[in-house]
């Protein structure tokens, strides 16, 4: 990813904060905003963050950058909202994996089922977004912070119901951090065998955790 491409509010000279009048929130305006966001989200899912700009987003949405600035508070706002949409897709798929079949999956079975979703091509842009948050935290901290806020409720929901809230939080945080590490490794190292070995160690640790008596 060339940081300059995504580290510039827009390549058309517009400021990061839009100077155009925003949508007043009418039903028609909100419907149009959702339509534009869906089109930009699809473009990000296919093409990733590299070279993302307000002009590229406008091309993907079949409109002009001025129209986008009417509905969104600049390129950063549009990017963040699109990333949130993609995370919601990932979460929906993860929840479906957790409840697939008649019986509730164990945590170990759930992480095994959800891993192909995490490393799918559509999800690549979400990993790029975390990298962007690390590269420019002053500007893009929300991309990382909001990721945890979106993912944690799902992880908490798949923990055994009889666990204490504290135990659920501890295990959920461990799973979230570990899976993020495996994703970075999978995207950057090319060591598929090593990632698979570490992943199985995580699954075994979850089997032991779930089998243990509640402290």
């Amino acid at each position: 990813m060339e940081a300059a491409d995504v580290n510039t509010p827009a390549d058309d000279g517009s400021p990061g904060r839009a100077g155009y009048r925003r949508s007043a929130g009418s039903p028609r305006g909100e419907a149009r905003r959702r339509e534009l966001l869906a089109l930009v989200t699809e473009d990000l899912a296919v093409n990733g963050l590299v070279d993302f700009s307000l002009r590229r987003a406008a091309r993907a949405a079949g409109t002009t950058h001025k129209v986008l600035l009417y509905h969104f508070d600049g390129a950063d706002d549009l990017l963040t909202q699109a990333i949130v949409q993609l995370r919601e897709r990932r979460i929906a798929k993860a929840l479906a994996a957790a409840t697939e079949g008649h019986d509730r999956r164990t945590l170990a079975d759930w992480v095994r089922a959800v891993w192909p979703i995490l490393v799918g091509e559509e999800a690549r842009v979400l990993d790029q977004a975390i990298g962007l948050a690390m590269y420019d935290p002053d500007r893009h901290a929300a991309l990382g912070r909001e990721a945890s806020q979106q993912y944690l409720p799902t992880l908490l929901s798949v923990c055994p119901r009889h666990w204490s809230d504290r135990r659920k939080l501890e295990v959920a945080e461990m799973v979230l951090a570990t899976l993020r590490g495996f994703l970075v490794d999978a995207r950057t190292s090319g060591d598929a065998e090593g990632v698979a070995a570490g992943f199985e160690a995580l699954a075994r640790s979850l089997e032991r955790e779930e089998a243990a008596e509640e402290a």
Side-chain angles (χ1 to χ4, degrees):
M1 181 191 308
E2 293 188 20
D5 295 322
V6 294
N7 206 41
T8 313
D11 60 5
D12 54 6
S14 61
R17 285 276 170 186
Y20 297 95
R21 181 169 61 87
R22 297 289 304 284
S23 170
S26 66
R28 182 177 180 181
E30 179 59 21
R32 178 59 172 156
R33 187 195 69 82
R34 290 196 301 267
E35 177 187 12
L36 294 169
L37 180 59
L39 291 168
V40 174
T41 300
E42 287 302 324
D43 175 70
L44 279 173
V46 174
N47 299 308
L49 287 182
V50 178
D51 297 326
F52 179 83
S53 68
L54 206 58
R55 286 195 185 279
R56 173 182 144 189
R59 287 194 300 271
T63 188
T64 67
H65 75 275
K66 290 185 179 181
V67 169
L68 290 180
L69 289 173
Y70 181 80
H71 292 279
F72 301 94
D73 200 8
D76 291 350
D77 177 44
L78 178 56
L79 174 63
T80 299
Q81 292 196 43
I83 291 297
V84 167
Q85 293 286 309
L86 287 171
R87 286 198 199 109
E88 288 178 354
R89 290 187 193 177
R90 177 189 261 182
I91 289 167
K93 292 177 181 178
L95 286 172
T99 57
E100 185 177 359
H102 298 291
D103 298 324
R104 178 190 168 278
R105 289 181 182 270
T106 65
L107 277 171
D109 287 341
W110 180 77
V111 296
R112 290 186 178 106
V114 83
W115 180 248
I117 297 169
L118 299 183
V119 293
E121 280 305 306
E122 182 182 272
R124 182 178 294 272
V125 66
L126 298 177
D127 305 324
Q128 293 173 347
I130 296 299
L132 185 59
M134 295 173 66
Y135 176 80
D136 192 347
D138 291 336
R139 182 173 172 185
H140 295 292
L143 291 176
R145 182 177 58 251
E146 291 176 5
S148 295
Q149 293 171 350
Q150 281 187 269
Y151 292 141
L152 267 179
T154 299
L155 288 165
L156 291 169
S157 74
V158 298
C159 288
R161 295 183 182 89
H162 67 277
W163 282 4
S164 68
D165 290 345
R166 180 63 185 178
R167 187 176 182 186
K168 289 178 182 178
L169 180 61
E170 290 171 348
V171 173
E173 290 281 10
M174 177 190 73
V175 172
L176 179 58
T178 306
L179 289 179
R180 276 179 171 166
F182 288 148
L183 280 169
V184 171
D185 204 7
R187 300 293 192 198
T188 59
S189 72
D191 183 10
E193 184 177 347
V195 172
F199 185 84
E200 279 305 310
L202 170 65
R204 290 195 301 273
S205 73
L206 291 174
E207 288 171 346
R208 291 192 296 270
E209 183 71 26
E210 198 158 1
E213 292 293 330
E214 173 124 26

